[in-house]
Amino acid sequence: MTTVILLRHGRTTANAGGILAGWTPGVQLDETGQAQVRTVGERLAKVPLAAVVSSPLERCRQTAGAVAGSRPLEVQADERLGECRYGDWTGRPIKELVKEPLWKVVQQHPSAAVFPGAEGEGLAHTQARAVAAVREWNARLGADAVWLACSHGDVIKAVLADALGLHLDQFQRIVVDPASISVITYTDTRPFVVRINDTGGDVSGLIPPPRKGRRRKPSSDAVVGGGAGAPA
């Protein structure tokens, strides 16, 4: 089974200023965001990553770079993990956008939301491309891999909704904070959501156990009764 760690970028100047950054170039981590990504880089330092893949936007590249650190890994960009293309909403203050008629659609029926303008896309398309990227990287890296995908809040929420079997219209119920990790393990028949919006928990459970002889094929069955959790 393949495990993906979904990491949201650290806080940016746009986040702090209440601006919908979208694909605006040059949006950087602020001082808080820089501290956040240093911390998450330290948290994940002992997790053996098969790959570090990032949205091409600067704030994600900065965040992914902090996790890659001194590992012999090059951060690889995948545009499908990029932010939703908000079209004419890009760069506008959130306090203005909440007054737009489309805002209620985004909140209550996001699967029908298509952002205005030539560059705008629908949230359903955002989900489809991001999920396709995750599954393609899973197949490329193999069944025993643990890898990291650095992306954006709405994108990660959409991937989590897919893994949870939730309709996209429910994805606004999921919270993904800056520099948080969410973890999904994919088996042959179903994904298991291991963590959501984790900003400080122990990550030793993400380290694969050492091989002991012939490895059994991972089961796609859920644990009845909840199981014992990760080893102490």
Side-chain angles (χ1 to χ4, degrees), residues 170-189:
Q170 309 302 321
F171 99 130
Q172 298 292 23
R173 301 182 181 201
I174 301 170
V175 175
V176 174
D177 289 325
S180 67
I181 62 170
S182 300
V183 181
I184 306 170
T185 295
Y186 288 84
T187 71
D188 289 342
T189 59

Side-chain angles (χ1 to χ4, degrees), residues 11-169:
R11 197 180 82 167
T12 68
T13 52
N15 295 146
I19 302 297
L20 187 65
W23 282 74
T24 303
V27 176
Q28 305 283 327
L29 302 180
D30 64 9
E31 289 187 7
T32 296
Q34 292 170 18
Q36 289 171 335
V37 302
R38 284 194 297 269
T39 298
V40 77
E42 292 168 359
R43 288 182 64 207
L44 295 174
K46 293 183 179 180
V47 179
L49 299 175
V52 176
V53 187
S54 174
S55 156
L57 293 168
E58 292 97 325
R59 53 198 185 270
C60 283
R61 295 299 295 264
Q62 285 179 284
T63 303
V67 175
S70 59
R71 302 171 194 263
L73 289 174
E74 180 180 349
V75 176
Q76 302 183 68
D78 191 325
E79 190 164 306
R80 295 172 297 177
L81 296 176
E83 180 64 285
C84 177
R85 294 188 180 272
Y86 296 114
D88 293 346
W89 279 26
T90 302
R92 293 181 59 190
I94 299 295
K95 65 182 181 181
E96 291 182 4
L97 296 175
V98 298
K99 301 174 185 177
E100 296 281 353
L102 182 61
W103 183 266
K104 288 186 177 181
V105 181
V106 172
Q107 295 298 317
Q108 299 173 16
H109 191 22
S111 65
V114 178
F115 293 97
E119 298 297 322
E121 73 174 334
L123 281 166
H125 181 263
T126 302
Q127 182 185 48
R129 61 170 166 82
V131 170
V134 168
R135 290 188 174 275
E136 184 179 303
W137 279 99
N138 286 348
R140 184 185 307 183
L141 296 170
D144 294 327
V146 178
W147 65 284
L148 182 133
C150 186
S151 190
H152 307 265
D154 281 348
V155 180
I156 293 173
K157 286 163 57 176
V159 174
L160 286 167
D162 173 77
L164 289 165
L166 294 177
H167 194 281
L168 184 60
D169 287 345

